[in-house]
Amino acid sequence: MPALVLLGAQWGDEGKGKATDLLGGSVDYVVRFQGGNNAGHTVVVGDQKYALHLLPSGILSPGCTPVIGNGVVVDPAVLFSELNGLNERGVDTSKLLISGNAHLITPYHTTIDKVTERFLGKRKIGTTGRGIGPAYADKINRVGIRVQDLFDESILEQKVEAALDFKNQVLAKLYNRRAIAVGEVVEELLGFADRLRPYVADTSLILNNAIDEGKVVLFEGGQGTLLDVDHGTYPFVTSSNPTSGGACTGAGVGPTKISRVIGILKAYTTRVGAGPFPTELFDDDGEALRRIGGERGVTTGRDRRCGWFDAVIARYATRVNGLTDFFLTKLDVLTGWEQIPVCVAYEIDGKRVEDLPYSQTDFHHAKPIYEYLPGWSEDITKAKTFDDLPKNAQDYVKALEEMSGAPISAIGVGPGRDETIEINSFL
Ligand code: GDP
Ligand code: IMO
Ligand code: MG
């Protein structure tokens, strides 16, 4: 089992950080392949809680080499502040590797992210404001700045000039903002070069060699399937591919090397930011899920929108990612409900629909069709095996598995590393 992908099966915040950290002790490399510091991955180790944004969650496992792949967008200021924060807490970060081909988020990307959202008004996406979309837009427009550009001052200057030429017109004429000086940006970026240099490597080569040698490589997704720019609820998505194919392009590893794809799936559903969400709750149940599940964004501190489990989405995640397994998280949060609604299909314009509609209009009209599963009231946070779970909790898990199209190989019953029921080993 040399290469595994671990990704979000819903709209993000499924518990990818915890799942990655759990496996981190047994893998050689943990690789971020897309996104940037829009992610907020929480890892709880004993009484210590870590919130990781840009760094792979494997950084907390001493034997593991953390890698930032070419598909990630790197804000160097955030990178160093995150590294400093971990170093102050005694975490050794010296093994980190960063692809020279990863693109940089510069202050102008963050500015443009914020002004664009303001300009969109009520049509805004609700981005994290971290410059993610504008940095990927520059990458695709071929005016991006890459990590390796920091090591050649004259190239850097030319590239920043090319990137700002058009943007300054837009900033000044459309948004009424001050134009950004090329020299200022170049100076700021060059200020990171010396500290960045030792981490920079040909990460595609290193990872392919590692897989060929039988080392275990784990690709850790950010965001989630429904936030994918191709397969998500466009335009209410992020600007990268958090689906499994993104691991190949974002790390430089071929699909034939990937042996397992694990979808992290919350036992209910949450979403941050704007966009359709068929099972969203606006009542006391939604409030209770938010409170009990602690559903507040790790990156922006926004309350997460909460709703019941949606099997249509889970089936879709199985399909577009080729999932081999699910890791079901936060089952403990559902303790105490007499019965738990689960969305098994949608009603769209009077018709029952089993698969996620590919038309945006249809998805906006989708109404959940619920089945009601019996709940449980016993505390399940100490459960170590599937048999330790009360019968109704077992049946809930089995029903979700049946509806979702891939085996549930682990169950989270609390935020800590050991609050996990392993059913099938991932390694
Ligand atoms: P990520 O972005 O996918 O890594 O998820 P987040 O860290 O943003 O949000 C998941 C939250 O749920 C974090 O606060 C985790 O500590 C917590 N968590 C993860 N798994 C479980 C679980 O099985 N039960 C409970 N109660 N909390 C969990
Ligand atoms: P993790 O990795 C949940 C959402 C934002 C917004 C949309 C676009 O912790 O699961 P962006 O800043 O990426 O351009 O915002 O995507 N979003 C997330 N939602 N979890 C995340 O990451 C997210 N990263 C981005 O709220 O709706
Ligand atoms: Mg998160």
Side-chain angles (χ1 to χ4, degrees), residues 280-300:
E280 182 170 14
L281 294 166
F282 300 95
D283 58 6
D284 291 348
D285 282 332
E287 200 43 58
L289 286 174
R290 192 171 303 119
R291 181 172 40 81
I292 303 166
E295 297 297 352
R296 184 176 283 263
V298 183
T299 301
T300 56

PDB file of all heavy atoms in Angstrom, residues 280-300:
ATOM      1  N   GLU A 280     -29.294  21.656   4.555  1.00  0.00           N
ATOM      2  CA  GLU A 280     -29.028  22.678   5.578  1.00  0.00           C
ATOM      3  C   GLU A 280     -30.232  22.857   6.508  1.00  0.00           C
ATOM      4  O   GLU A 280     -31.387  22.852   6.068  1.00  0.00           O
ATOM      5  CB  GLU A 280     -28.702  24.021   4.905  1.00  0.00           C
ATOM      6  CG  GLU A 280     -28.359  25.105   5.920  1.00  0.00           C
ATOM      7  CD  GLU A 280     -27.792  26.366   5.280  1.00  0.00           C
ATOM      8  OE1 GLU A 280     -27.906  26.526   4.039  1.00  0.00           O
ATOM      9  OE2 GLU A 280     -27.236  27.190   6.030  1.00  0.00           O
ATOM     10  N   LEU A 281     -29.933  23.034   7.800  1.00  0.00           N
ATOM     11  CA  LEU A 281     -30.974  23.217   8.814  1.00  0.00           C
ATOM     12  C   LEU A 281     -30.957  24.651   9.321  1.00  0.00           C
ATOM     13  O   LEU A 281     -29.887  25.217   9.552  1.00  0.00           O
ATOM     14  CB  LEU A 281     -30.723  22.270   9.988  1.00  0.00           C
ATOM     15  CG  LEU A 281     -30.863  20.773   9.690  1.00  0.00           C
ATOM     16  CD1 LEU A 281     -30.263  19.947  10.827  1.00  0.00           C
ATOM     17  CD2 LEU A 281     -32.326  20.403   9.480  1.00  0.00           C
ATOM     18  N   PHE A 282     -32.135  25.205   9.531  1.00  0.00           N
ATOM     19  CA  PHE A 282     -32.232  26.575  10.050  1.00  0.00           C
ATOM     20  C   PHE A 282     -32.961  26.561  11.384  1.00  0.00           C
ATOM     21  O   PHE A 282     -33.479  27.571  11.832  1.00  0.00           O
ATOM     22  CB  PHE A 282     -32.969  27.466   9.041  1.00  0.00           C
ATOM     23  CG  PHE A 282     -32.269  27.532   7.704  1.00  0.00           C
ATOM     24  CD1 PHE A 282     -32.630  26.686   6.667  1.00  0.00           C
ATOM     25  CD2 PHE A 282     -31.228  28.424   7.500  1.00  0.00           C
ATOM     26  CE1 PHE A 282     -31.979  26.727   5.442  1.00  0.00           C
ATOM     27  CE2 PHE A 282     -30.568  28.481   6.279  1.00  0.00           C
ATOM     28  CZ  PHE A 282     -30.940  27.625   5.247  1.00  0.00           C
ATOM     29  N   ASP A 283     -33.017  25.384  12.022  1.00  0.00           N
ATOM     30  CA  ASP A 283     -33.822  25.242  13.236  1.00  0.00           C
ATOM     31  C   ASP A 283     -32.939  24.858  14.432  1.00  0.00           C
ATOM     32  O   ASP A 283     -31.707  24.955  14.371  1.00  0.00           O
ATOM     33  CB  ASP A 283     -34.907  24.176  12.998  1.00  0.00           C
ATOM     34  CG  ASP A 283     -34.289  22.830  12.600  1.00  0.00           C
ATOM     35  OD1 ASP A 283     -33.042  22.718  12.635  1.00  0.00           O
ATOM     36  OD2 ASP A 283     -35.049  21.899  12.273  1.00  0.00           O
ATOM     37  N   ASP A 284     -33.571  24.402  15.496  1.00  0.00           N
ATOM     38  CA  ASP A 284     -32.834  24.049  16.704  1.00  0.00           C
ATOM     39  C   ASP A 284     -31.853  22.897  16.466  1.00  0.00           C
ATOM     40  O   ASP A 284     -30.794  22.834  17.092  1.00  0.00           O
ATOM     41  CB  ASP A 284     -33.816  23.643  17.820  1.00  0.00           C
ATOM     42  CG  ASP A 284     -34.621  24.840  18.308  1.00  0.00           C
ATOM     43  OD1 ASP A 284     -34.251  25.983  17.942  1.00  0.00           O
ATOM     44  OD2 ASP A 284     -35.619  24.637  19.034  1.00  0.00           O
ATOM     45  N   ASP A 285     -32.224  21.970  15.573  1.00  0.00           N
ATOM     46  CA  ASP A 285     -31.318  20.854  15.288  1.00  0.00           C
ATOM     47  C   ASP A 285     -30.007  21.370  14.677  1.00  0.00           C
ATOM     48  O   ASP A 285     -28.921  20.904  15.029  1.00  0.00           O
ATOM     49  CB  ASP A 285     -31.977  19.854  14.320  1.00  0.00           C
ATOM     50  CG  ASP A 285     -32.980  18.957  15.022  1.00  0.00           C
ATOM     51  OD1 ASP A 285     -32.818  18.710  16.237  1.00  0.00           O
ATOM     52  OD2 ASP A 285     -33.941  18.506  14.356  1.00  0.00           O
ATOM     53  N   GLY A 286     -30.133  22.319  13.751  1.00  0.00           N
ATOM     54  CA  GLY A 286     -28.941  22.904  13.130  1.00  0.00           C
ATOM     55  C   GLY A 286     -28.071  23.584  14.180  1.00  0.00           C
ATOM     56  O   GLY A 286     -26.844  23.437  14.197  1.00  0.00           O
ATOM     57  N   GLU A 287     -28.717  24.295  15.069  1.00  0.00           N
ATOM     58  CA  GLU A 287     -28.009  24.999  16.146  1.00  0.00           C
ATOM     59  C   GLU A 287     -27.324  23.982  17.065  1.00  0.00           C
ATOM     60  O   GLU A 287     -26.173  24.168  17.485  1.00  0.00           O
ATOM     61  CB  GLU A 287     -29.035  25.847  16.921  1.00  0.00           C
ATOM     62  CG  GLU A 287     -28.460  26.972  17.747  1.00  0.00           C
ATOM     63  CD  GLU A 287     -27.367  27.757  17.021  1.00  0.00           C
ATOM     64  OE1 GLU A 287     -27.636  28.304  15.927  1.00  0.00           O
ATOM     65  OE2 GLU A 287     -26.248  27.794  17.548  1.00  0.00           O
ATOM     66  N   ALA A 288     -28.027  22.881  17.348  1.00  0.00           N
ATOM     67  CA  ALA A 288     -27.466  21.849  18.237  1.00  0.00           C
ATOM     68  C   ALA A 288     -26.254  21.176  17.591  1.00  0.00           C
ATOM     69  O   ALA A 288     -25.228  20.954  18.260  1.00  0.00           O
ATOM     70  CB  ALA A 288     -28.540  20.816  18.575  1.00  0.00           C
ATOM     71  N   LEU A 289     -26.333  20.881  16.292  1.00  0.00           N
ATOM     72  CA  LEU A 289     -25.174  20.274  15.603  1.00  0.00           C
ATOM     73  C   LEU A 289     -23.977  21.227  15.677  1.00  0.00           C
ATOM     74  O   LEU A 289     -22.846  20.815  15.930  1.00  0.00           O
ATOM     75  CB  LEU A 289     -25.507  19.981  14.134  1.00  0.00           C
ATOM     76  CG  LEU A 289     -26.435  18.798  13.858  1.00  0.00           C
ATOM     77  CD1 LEU A 289     -26.782  18.734  12.364  1.00  0.00           C
ATOM     78  CD2 LEU A 289     -25.802  17.466  14.289  1.00  0.00           C
ATOM     79  N   ARG A 290     -24.252  22.518  15.469  1.00  0.00           N
ATOM     80  CA  ARG A 290     -23.179  23.521  15.497  1.00  0.00           C
ATOM     81  C   ARG A 290     -22.527  23.581  16.875  1.00  0.00           C
ATOM     82  O   ARG A 290     -21.312  23.592  17.014  1.00  0.00           O
ATOM     83  CB  ARG A 290     -23.746  24.889  15.112  1.00  0.00           C
ATOM     84  CG  ARG A 290     -22.707  25.941  14.827  1.00  0.00           C
ATOM     85  CD  ARG A 290     -23.315  27.200  14.239  1.00  0.00           C
ATOM     86  NE  ARG A 290     -24.058  26.922  13.032  1.00  0.00           N
ATOM     87  CZ  ARG A 290     -25.360  27.146  12.861  1.00  0.00           C
ATOM     88  NH1 ARG A 290     -26.071  27.688  13.827  1.00  0.00           N
ATOM     89  NH2 ARG A 290     -25.958  26.838  11.739  1.00  0.00           N
ATOM     90  N   ARG A 291     -23.383  23.550  17.899  1.00  0.00           N
ATOM     91  CA  ARG A 291     -22.878  23.679  19.271  1.00  0.00           C
ATOM     92  C   ARG A 291     -22.132  22.408  19.696  1.00  0.00           C
ATOM     93  O   ARG A 291     -20.981  22.465  20.130  1.00  0.00           O
ATOM     94  CB  ARG A 291     -24.059  23.951  20.218  1.00  0.00           C
ATOM     95  CG  ARG A 291     -23.689  24.131  21.679  1.00  0.00           C
ATOM     96  CD  ARG A 291     -24.895  24.589  22.514  1.00  0.00           C
ATOM     97  NE  ARG A 291     -26.149  23.937  22.137  1.00  0.00           N
ATOM     98  CZ  ARG A 291     -26.527  22.718  22.529  1.00  0.00           C
ATOM     99  NH1 ARG A 291     -25.758  22.006  23.317  1.00  0.00           N
ATOM    100  NH2 ARG A 291     -27.688  22.198  22.144  1.00  0.00           N
ATOM    101  N   ILE A 292     -22.776  21.264  19.524  1.00  0.00           N
ATOM    102  CA  ILE A 292     -22.166  20.010  19.992  1.00  0.00           C
ATOM    103  C   ILE A 292     -20.939  19.664  19.147  1.00  0.00           C
ATOM    104  O   ILE A 292     -19.917  19.202  19.660  1.00  0.00           O
ATOM    105  CB  ILE A 292     -23.199  18.844  19.948  1.00  0.00           C
ATOM    106  CG1 ILE A 292     -24.421  19.202  20.800  1.00  0.00           C
ATOM    107  CG2 ILE A 292     -22.586  17.534  20.434  1.00  0.00           C
ATOM    108  CD1 ILE A 292     -25.625  18.303  20.566  1.00  0.00           C
ATOM    109  N   GLY A 293     -21.039  19.925  17.838  1.00  0.00           N
ATOM    110  CA  GLY A 293     -19.920  19.592  16.950  1.00  0.00           C
ATOM    111  C   GLY A 293     -18.827  20.656  16.941  1.00  0.00           C
ATOM    112  O   GLY A 293     -17.803  20.481  16.295  1.00  0.00           O
ATOM    113  N   GLY A 294     -19.030  21.769  17.658  1.00  0.00           N
ATOM    114  CA  GLY A 294     -18.027  22.847  17.666  1.00  0.00           C
ATOM    115  C   GLY A 294     -17.783  23.352  16.252  1.00  0.00           C
ATOM    116  O   GLY A 294     -16.647  23.552  15.839  1.00  0.00           O
ATOM    117  N   GLU A 295     -18.855  23.563  15.508  1.00  0.00           N
ATOM    118  CA  GLU A 295     -18.724  23.869  14.077  1.00  0.00           C
ATOM    119  C   GLU A 295     -18.483  25.353  13.830  1.00  0.00           C
ATOM    120  O   GLU A 295     -19.360  26.100  13.434  1.00  0.00           O
ATOM    121  CB  GLU A 295     -19.952  23.352  13.310  1.00  0.00           C
ATOM    122  CG  GLU A 295     -20.118  21.843  13.370  1.00  0.00           C
ATOM    123  CD  GLU A 295     -18.969  21.051  12.715  1.00  0.00           C
ATOM    124  OE1 GLU A 295     -18.098  21.667  12.082  1.00  0.00           O
ATOM    125  OE2 GLU A 295     -18.952  19.824  12.861  1.00  0.00           O
ATOM    126  N   ARG A 296     -17.257  25.727  14.072  1.00  0.00           N
ATOM    127  CA  ARG A 296     -16.813  27.095  13.827  1.00  0.00           C
ATOM    128  C   ARG A 296     -15.497  26.999  13.044  1.00  0.00           C
ATOM    129  O   ARG A 296     -14.631  26.188  13.387  1.00  0.00           O
ATOM    130  CB  ARG A 296     -16.588  27.787  15.169  1.00  0.00           C
ATOM    131  CG  ARG A 296     -16.208  29.250  15.044  1.00  0.00           C
ATOM    132  CD  ARG A 296     -16.109  29.852  16.429  1.00  0.00           C
ATOM    133  NE  ARG A 296     -17.435  30.122  16.969  1.00  0.00           N
ATOM    134  CZ  ARG A 296     -18.028  31.314  16.923  1.00  0.00           C
ATOM    135  NH1 ARG A 296     -17.409  32.319  16.374  1.00  0.00           N
ATOM    136  NH2 ARG A 296     -19.221  31.493  17.430  1.00  0.00           N
ATOM    137  N   GLY A 297     -15.367  27.791  11.974  1.00  0.00           N
ATOM    138  CA  GLY A 297     -14.214  27.678  11.084  1.00  0.00           C
ATOM    139  C   GLY A 297     -12.882  27.860  11.789  1.00  0.00           C
ATOM    140  O   GLY A 297     -12.728  28.766  12.603  1.00  0.00           O
ATOM    141  N   VAL A 298     -11.912  26.999  11.447  1.00  0.00           N
ATOM    142  CA  VAL A 298     -10.571  27.062  12.043  1.00  0.00           C
ATOM    143  C   VAL A 298      -9.781  28.214  11.418  1.00  0.00           C
ATOM    144  O   VAL A 298      -8.909  28.800  12.044  1.00  0.00           O
ATOM    145  CB  VAL A 298      -9.812  25.730  11.762  1.00  0.00           C
ATOM    146  CG1 VAL A 298      -8.451  25.711  12.430  1.00  0.00           C
ATOM    147  CG2 VAL A 298     -10.634  24.536  12.181  1.00  0.00           C
ATOM    148  N   THR A 299     -10.095  28.564  10.171  1.00  0.00           N
ATOM    149  CA  THR A 299      -9.328  29.592   9.464  1.00  0.00           C
ATOM    150  C   THR A 299      -9.938  30.972   9.650  1.00  0.00           C
ATOM    151  O   THR A 299      -9.238  31.933   9.944  1.00  0.00           O
ATOM    152  CB  THR A 299      -9.254  29.237   7.957  1.00  0.00           C
ATOM    153  OG1 THR A 299      -8.632  27.960   7.846  1.00  0.00           O
ATOM    154  CG2 THR A 299      -8.452  30.249   7.167  1.00  0.00           C
ATOM    155  N   THR A 300     -11.243  31.083   9.500  1.00  0.00           N
ATOM    156  CA  THR A 300     -11.857  32.418   9.513  1.00  0.00           C
ATOM    157  C   THR A 300     -12.729  32.665  10.736  1.00  0.00           C
ATOM    158  O   THR A 300     -13.233  33.772  10.912  1.00  0.00           O
ATOM    159  CB  THR A 300     -12.730  32.618   8.255  1.00  0.00           C
ATOM    160  OG1 THR A 300     -13.691  31.554   8.219  1.00  0.00           O
ATOM    161  CG2 THR A 300     -11.904  32.596   6.996  1.00  0.00           C
TER     162      THR A 300
END
